[in-house]
Amino acid sequence: MSPPPSLVTVIGIGADGWDGLGPAGREALRAADVVLGGHRQLDLLPPECPAERVPWPSPLRPAVPRLFAAHAGRRVAVLASGDPMFFGIGRTLAEELGAGRLRVLPHPSSISLACARLGWPVEDTEVISLVGRPTVSLTRALHARRRLLVLSAGAATPAEVAALLCDRGFGPSRMRVLEQLGGGRERHLEGTADHWHHALGDALNVIAVDCAPAPGTPRLSAVPGLPDQAYEHDGQLTKRHVRAATLAALAPAPGELLWDVGGGSGSIAVEWMRTHRACAAVSVERDPVRATRIGRNAAALGVPGLRVVTGAAPGALADLPAPDAVFIGGGLTAPGLLEACWAALPTGGRLVANTVTLESEALLAQWYRRHGGELVRIAIAHAAPVGGFTGWRQAMPVTQWAAAKPAEGETSP
């Protein structure tokens, strides 16, 4: 019977290096046979740590099981920046090795240190990491008077953030770049995004942003129902008020996955993902031009992680991960589409389908009789000029069927 795997000690270290470590962290590093970490962290260790120093390979995650197997039976310590469990290596190790194998000794995170310098309450400050993520990920967090801390990917990130803020209409936002927090070379830079002319600084930095929109910048709500003008489209767009009602029926929750079938402009998938950063979506669109446009809309509205699949449903759905909810915005009469989407849902999963045609409406009525749920008609009218007066202009009514999949043997309410 083989012995149980040994514990791995994960030690947070800051820019203050060895001097900032507590007794437990120092003792673990002195006793280790091998220390894993980034080049910068390993360079902070003094000669009194005799362990073999192994820098992380790239790409890191696929190498973790092999790397730890190669050092089986040895006392292993891992160095991480700040708090290993806050956007750090600790998460990867817990998922790959199991949390039970880890002994984590955190150091104050760069976020805690930045808030201490700025006088910002940590609980009221939104944190966005741009490490390994596109700069446009910041977009969905841009709201007037919000305070943001951005984990930088390197020395070029502050200028990239300033350019994004200007592009999104937030040029007046105050920016402060805090370099080498907690170390002897700590330095702060300050300015506004529209006048950010600082030269490249230290790669180890955090960016503080006091969000301030320029006059006339469109206000994008945190809830579904963004203005139609927020999207690039060719007319294939679920309009604002119907979109808000559709998202309410889909009922997104953190960590859930949506299939947006017949994506059009991607508005349903985009606003599903904007409800929470843990929400994910796949938009399926058969037209390559529209599929490319969906990607642009996702980037422009701060959810670049939206996956776009170019292909016709139901065939294009075959290899997708199982959804928690499905929206069908087009192609309802395609043979087997409703059946494939319903079959893919787990118990409790939601399906919402919208249509404006009589043929698709008749199909939804059949599914309503068979599976229950809610069948509603959404009619929207807008005030418009009628000569010298004002009257109502009716948009095409939308028929919507929404249902949750019951457990085997049960019936939908």
Side-chain angles (χ1 to χ4, degrees), residues 126 140 221-226 244 247-248 250-256 258 267-280 301-303 350:
E126 185 166 357
R140 62 181 294 272
S221 170
V223 300
L226 297 181
L247 266 295
L250 286 166
E256 291 190 327
L258 171 75
S267 62
I268 296 295
V270 165
E271 297 193 27
W272 168 281
M273 290 185 67
R274 281 175 60 91
T275 62
H276 194 274
R277 64 184 179 188
C279 285
L301 292 166
V303 288
R350 290 90 64 204

Side-chain angles (χ1 to χ4, degrees), residues 233-309:
H233 64 91
D234 61 359
Q236 290 296 312
L237 174 74
T238 302
K239 300 302 191 291
R240 180 180 192 176
H241 298 92
V242 174
R243 191 185 328 129
T246 300
L247 266 295
L250 286 166
E256 291 190 327
L257 172 67
L258 171 75
W259 286 1
D260 176 19
V261 183
S265 301
S267 62
I268 296 295
V270 165
E271 297 193 27
W272 168 281
M273 290 185 67
R274 281 175 60 91
T275 62
H276 194 274
R277 64 184 179 188
C279 285
V282 181
S283 189
V284 179
E285 171 54 56
R286 66 181 179 180
D287 186 303
V289 174
R290 287 177 179 164
T292 301
R293 186 182 294 122
I294 290 170
R296 290 198 298 269
N297 282 328
L301 292 166
V303 288
L306 171 61
R307 179 182 172 189
V308 182
V309 172

Side-chain angles (χ1 to χ4, degrees), residues 5-9 68-69 72 76 93 97-103:
S6 56
L7 280 176
V8 174
T9 304
F68 280 85
V76 178
L93 297 179
L97 305 179
R101 283 195 62 189
L102 303 184
R103 176 192 179 210

Side-chain angles (χ1 to χ4, degrees), residues 5-348:
S6 56
L7 280 176
V8 174
T9 304
V10 187
I11 303 145
I13 192 168
D16 49 0
W18 185 257
D19 292 340
L21 293 178
R26 292 188 184 189
E27 180 55 34
L29 289 166
R30 289 192 189 102
D33 297 316
V34 58
V35 179
L36 306 173
H39 288 283
R40 183 175 59 82
Q41 285 93 21
L42 293 174
D43 289 343
L44 295 172
L45 295 182
E48 65 187 86
C49 294
E52 178 187 356
R53 304 180 188 188
V54 179
W56 293 118
S58 181
L60 189 156
R61 184 157 194 147
V64 167
R66 172 179 48 80
L67 196 58
F68 280 85
H71 296 291
R74 305 179 75 188
R75 289 170 294 187
V76 178
V78 173
L79 283 176
S81 292
D83 184 345
M85 303 307 297
F86 190 74
F87 290 101
I89 189 64
R91 174 177 179 168
T92 298
L93 297 179
E95 292 173 352
E96 293 289 341
L97 305 179
R101 283 195 62 189
L102 303 184
R103 176 192 179 210
V104 181
L105 304 175
H107 185 277
S109 70
S110 58
I111 297 305
S112 294
L113 292 172
C115 285
R117 302 293 189 272
L118 298 165
W120 289 3
V122 178
E123 68 272 17
D124 292 338
T125 302
E126 185 166 357
V127 179
I128 300 97
S129 176
L130 295 184
V131 180
R133 297 172 175 86
T135 309
V136 293
S137 304
L138 184 62
T139 302
R140 62 181 294 272
L142 299 180
H143 300 282
R145 299 182 299 280
R146 289 293 291 163
R147 290 171 167 176
L148 312 177
L149 281 179
V150 182
L151 299 177
S152 179
T157 305
E160 293 168 358
V161 167
L164 177 88
L165 290 170
C166 292
D167 184 64
R168 299 296 190 265
F170 279 75
S173 299
R174 182 186 184 189
M175 287 178 54
R176 283 171 281 184
V177 176
L178 294 79
E179 300 178 346
Q180 289 284 335
L181 277 165
R185 295 188 293 117
E186 181 171 327
R187 185 177 73 143
H188 301 178
L189 303 173
E190 185 171 343
T192 59
D194 51 7
H195 291 91
W196 191 261
H197 305 304
H198 294 286
L200 289 181
D202 195 276
L204 189 63
N205 69 77
V206 174
I207 306 163
V209 180
D210 288 279
C211 294
T217 297
R219 182 178 177 275
L220 298 182
S221 170
V223 300
L226 297 181
D228 294 344
Q229 295 81 2
Y231 292 93
E232 178 187 348
H233 64 91
D234 61 359
Q236 290 296 312
L237 174 74
T238 302
K239 300 302 191 291
R240 180 180 192 176
H241 298 92
V242 174
R243 191 185 328 129
T246 300
L247 266 295
L250 286 166
E256 291 190 327
L257 172 67
L258 171 75
W259 286 1
D260 176 19
V261 183
S265 301
S267 62
I268 296 295
V270 165
E271 297 193 27
W272 168 281
M273 290 185 67
R274 281 175 60 91
T275 62
H276 194 274
R277 64 184 179 188
C279 285
V282 181
S283 189
V284 179
E285 171 54 56
R286 66 181 179 180
D287 186 303
V289 174
R290 287 177 179 164
T292 301
R293 186 182 294 122
I294 290 170
R296 290 198 298 269
N297 282 328
L301 292 166
V303 288
L306 171 61
R307 179 182 172 189
V308 182
V309 172
T310 305
L317 308 176
D319 297 322
L320 299 183
D324 298 287
V326 176
F327 171 66
I328 305 176
L332 266 171
T333 57
L337 176 58
L338 270 166
E339 289 82 358
C341 292
W342 188 255
L345 286 170
T347 298

